[in-house]
Amino acid sequence: SDTDVITQKELISVQEIPRRSSRFTYTEPRVKPNTLAGLLALHMGTVAATQDAALVAYRHRITKSSSILLPSIGAQTLWDGGVQYKFAGLKGETFTLSNNGPYFQFGVQLVGSGTRATAADAFPAAITENWLRWGDTKIYVKDTAGTPISTVLATPSQTAANLGGSEVNISTRVLSWSLTWTNNLAADNAYRASSALVRTNFHPTRRVGTITITLEVDTTTEAAELDYFFSQKKLAMELNINSGTVVAATGAFNFGAIIILPRVQLTSNPRGQTNQLETLTLNGNIEDDGTNSELLAFVYDAQSAYLV
């Protein structure tokens, strides 16, 4: 508007939209494997599928891509009794995966180019899957002593750790687990000459990942867990969700997910209490170990491909 220029008028007299934007927030309080695979791949950038024999069952390997190769998707909205719009150029800004009661919650923030058009496409049917459960989860921590773990993992295990041995299973002591990844999209820098009202060619700046795990204090391991922070140990961490339900009859893949963080260093380890029992919270930064993708995920479901 002309509120910041001299017009000889008290109120604004001109107003227009010089730039358009679209932002979406989406949360599943009980996330399904399909949602996790698709939106995790959108935020990380690279996804490849492996089929379970000739069955309708797939394992999707998700890793971090180059910042300039981060993919985008389109989304459509339909208002009750209103118009339907298609929004193009949506990229993943932030995701958070955390436990939520007996399940896992997954929430994302998406940033779009601002391009929109009316649409009349039929919406696809919802994919039927069971929610991912907290009780089907195992959580591992490993002191790597600075040596990068191997994440080749041609056949990752859904029943055991994938950190290369010497890991510690802390599952029964964990009260909460939360992973956040932020791409820091340079959205305001993406309005360019010739792009009219919308963004073009917007990419992440420096991406950031953090992990928070709160666990009950165990006197037999307390000294070692405090030392994770005091001695700035280089840790590898794994979350392994195995539903125990096969994706396809006679197959080997179970619905579930594996998330591996090859290197984490703690930034703080505050003490607290829950139900009058002492707790220790491990707050860490996800780091580049020079060898692996900073975050590696496998998701198992019946969908053949994503982002194609």
Side-chain angles (χ1 to χ4, degrees):
S1 71
D2 60 358
T3 186
D4 56 344
V5 297
I6 297 174
T7 63
Q8 297 183 331
K9 297 180 177 64
E10 180 180 3
L11 303 182
I12 63 171
S13 58
V14 176
Q15 179 175 294
E16 66 177 19
I17 297 176
R19 290 175 171 176
R20 294 202 314 224
S21 174
S22 52
R23 293 177 181 265
F24 288 84
T25 298
Y26 179 75
T27 300
E28 280 191 5
R30 301 173 185 174
V31 68
K32 297 178 179 180
N34 173 64
T35 306
L36 183 62
L39 291 178
L40 198 61
L42 179 67
H43 283 75
M44 299 308 300
T46 301
V47 58
T50 298
Q51 188 174 11
D52 186 4
L55 303 172
V56 183
Y58 301 87
R59 179 181 64 234
H60 303 278
R61 182 187 177 100
I62 299 167
T63 55
K64 184 172 75 70
S65 72
S66 163
S67 63
I68 61 172
L69 296 178
L70 203 66
S72 65
I73 60 172
Q76 294 197 29
T77 60
L78 174 62
W79 282 268
D80 188 16
V83 69
Q84 182 173 335
Y85 282 112
K86 177 187 290 185
F87 295 85
L90 288 167
K91 290 188 173 184
E93 168 67 356
T94 298
F95 76 76
T96 297
L97 176 66
S98 59
N99 61 304
N100 179 28
Y103 300 102
F104 277 92
Q105 175 172 287
F106 189 64
V108 300
Q109 295 177 14
L110 308 178
V111 178
S113 65
T115 301
R116 71 174 185 271
T118 56
D121 302 281
F123 285 84
I127 292 174
T128 301
E129 292 177 336
N130 291 334
W131 302 309
L132 293 173
R133 292 190 299 244
W134 177 241
D136 294 331
T137 304
K138 292 181 180 177
I139 299 170
Y140 305 95
V141 176
K142 175 180 178 176
D143 180 356
T144 68
T147 301
I149 64 171
S150 173
T151 60
V152 176
L153 299 176
T155 54
S157 174
Q158 290 192 273
T159 57
N162 294 280
L163 300 181
S166 302
E167 60 279 329
V168 179
N169 186 338
I170 60 173
S171 307
T172 58
R173 297 167 50 214
V174 176
L175 301 177
S176 65
W177 186 98
S178 179
L179 169 68
T180 298
W181 182 273
T182 301
N183 279 326
N184 288 317
L185 294 167
D188 290 341
N189 191 43
Y191 297 101
R192 307 291 177 86
S194 80
S195 68
L197 304 182
V198 299
R199 298 184 177 99
T200 185
N201 295 331
F202 63 107
H203 308 295
T205 53
R206 298 190 68 164
R207 290 168 277 187
V208 176
T210 58
I211 179 77
T212 298
I213 304 174
T214 298
L215 63 160
E216 290 180 342
V217 171
D218 183 341
T219 55
T220 62
T221 61
E222 180 180 10
E225 287 155 359
L226 289 171
D227 200 46
Y228 288 161
F229 172 68
F230 294 145
S231 296
Q232 284 296 282
K233 300 288 189 179
K234 293 178 175 61
L235 309 174
M237 297 183 176
E238 178 179 348
L239 178 86
N240 195 316
I241 311 170
N242 181 1
S243 69
T245 301
V246 293
V247 178
T250 74
F253 292 174
N254 292 331
F255 283 103
I258 300 170
I259 297 193
I260 297 173
L261 308 177
R263 178 165 293 177
V264 173
Q265 282 190 266
L266 300 187
T267 56
S268 65
N269 59 347
R271 295 290 287 261
Q273 66 85 27
T274 299
N275 295 328
Q276 301 182 29
L277 293 176
E278 290 192 63
T279 60
L280 186 66
T281 298
L282 309 180
N283 296 309
N285 282 331
I286 299 172
E287 296 183 349
D288 184 345
D289 68 2
T291 300
N292 299 298
S293 172
E294 292 87 338
L295 187 154
L296 167 65
F298 299 95
V299 183
Y300 299 77
D301 62 18
Q303 310 312 309
S304 61
Y306 293 92
L307 302 176
V308 294

